[in-house]
Amino acid sequence: MRAIIVDDEELSRAVLRELVTPHADVEIVAECINGFDAVKAVNELHPDLVFLDIQMPKLDGFEVLELIGSDHVVIFVTAYDQYALRAFEVHAVDYLLKPFGAERFEAALTRARQRMGQHQPVPADLATAARAPGQHADRIVLRDGSDVHIIPIAKLDYAEAQDDYVALASEGKKRLKQQTISSLEQSLDPARFLRIHRSYILNLDRLKKLEPYGKDTHVAILTDGTRLPVSRSGYSRLRSILDAKS
């Protein structure tokens, strides 16, 4: 079993190295001290198992998970966070709560072996579940080949569903991310973003005006001239927000 340790704390990495040592079938192929290095290492080395810290500089553990996909078994290594721990329990993701001992590590490693080849949780759903109530995403991370892009939420104009992907429109460009539009909607602040159509989520700050478009439908005109369809239910929700502001 090939493994990567991702943690910005040298002491935590040393503890994991020591606990792995008795297991001759586990080879540590890389150690990373931040999220960007982790994404690069996983893509290049294709490990079976990733020990992944949550609180790290540049990219946190959930963002790393979104970028590396669900082809690897992950054991989160974390300090106490009630919402993250509850998300792990709900999604049957294993974790090591710092500080942890050899017995807990052995149990986690045994379960990791059992989960090899099994379906892993959807990364974006896990990240959403780990947020505290009322807390929403402040940026979106996605990968294009070997490049990592970060879109601040304030710069997201709208999102368009494309099967199991969403096209994220920002600053005149569209980038694809493997995520359902429903999952993305759950991660966004409903005071700033609205599902105006089954295939579109709109940043309300980008709306310039609404125009009728055929029977029972409307079209949203954005500040850059983009036209997005608005369903009847989407129009009702949007109308309520606009009326409340007027």
Side-chain angles (χ1 to χ4, degrees):
M1 184 188 307
R2 292 159 54 82
I4 287 180
I5 297 174
V6 185
D7 199 312
D8 61 323
E9 297 179 1
E10 166 57 32
L11 178 59
S12 294
R13 297 197 304 276
V15 168
L16 284 167
R17 279 199 305 272
E18 182 177 342
L19 293 171
V20 165
T21 298
H23 299 273
D25 64 326
V26 181
E27 177 189 8
I28 297 175
V29 295
E31 294 185 21
C32 305
I33 62 173
N34 63 61
F36 283 112
D37 288 348
V39 173
K40 183 173 184 290
V42 169
N43 290 332
E44 291 178 351
L45 300 172
H46 306 290
D48 306 296
L49 174 64
V50 181
F51 295 99
L52 183 58
D53 186 21
I54 292 179
Q55 299 297 334
M56 294 186 294
K58 301 182 181 179
L59 294 173
D60 66 30
F62 292 113
E63 291 172 329
V64 171
L65 188 63
E66 287 194 60
L67 294 169
I68 65 176
S70 54
D71 294 335
H72 321 276
V73 174
V74 171
I75 298 176
F76 279 98
V77 183
T78 180
Y80 180 76
D81 179 326
Q82 62 170 318
Y83 299 107
L85 299 186
R86 187 176 63 184
F88 297 154
E89 298 289 352
V90 170
H91 290 269
V93 175
D94 213 346
Y95 62 91
L96 294 167
L97 185 62
K98 297 177 181 178
F100 54 88
E103 184 176 352
R104 181 69 183 86
F105 174 84
E106 294 296 327
L109 188 60
T110 297
R111 282 194 288 271
R113 287 191 173 98
Q114 295 169 346
R115 287 165 48 209
M116 293 291 176
Q118 297 180 3
H119 173 73
Q120 306 299 322
V122 177
D125 292 348
L126 183 61
T128 298
R131 291 194 183 94
Q135 184 182 39
H136 303 96
D138 57 8
R139 63 184 191 175
I140 298 173
V141 298
L142 63 146
R143 188 161 60 89
D144 181 9
S146 60
D147 295 329
V148 173
H149 299 282
I150 296 176
I151 300 176
I153 285 299
K155 293 186 177 181
L156 177 63
D157 299 328
Y158 65 92
E160 178 184 359
Q162 295 187 6
D163 296 325
D164 291 335
Y165 289 78
V166 285
L168 304 167
S170 174
E171 299 183 307
K173 298 180 181 177
K174 278 188 177 180
R175 291 190 168 92
L176 284 177
K177 179 177 182 180
Q178 189 173 18
Q179 182 178 13
T180 65
I181 196 164
S182 295
S183 172
L184 176 65
E185 181 184 16
Q186 291 175 13
S187 71
L188 298 174
D189 183 353
R192 301 174 64 185
F193 292 87
L194 182 69
R195 184 87 168 262
I196 59 172
H197 185 276
R198 64 180 181 180
S199 298
Y200 291 92
I201 296 173
L202 171 66
N203 182 340
L204 295 171
D205 289 340
R206 302 297 191 271
L207 178 64
K208 182 178 181 180
K209 60 181 179 179
L210 278 170
E211 290 183 352
Y213 187 79
K215 184 181 180 182
D216 296 331
T217 61
H218 290 74
V219 61
I221 313 296
L222 276 56
T223 52
D224 66 355
T226 299
R227 299 167 68 88
L228 301 180
V230 182
S231 65
R232 186 163 64 175
S233 59
Y235 176 76
S236 178
R237 291 191 293 269
L238 189 53
R239 192 73 262 170
S240 297
I241 292 174
L242 296 177
D243 289 345
K245 289 183 176 179
S246 61

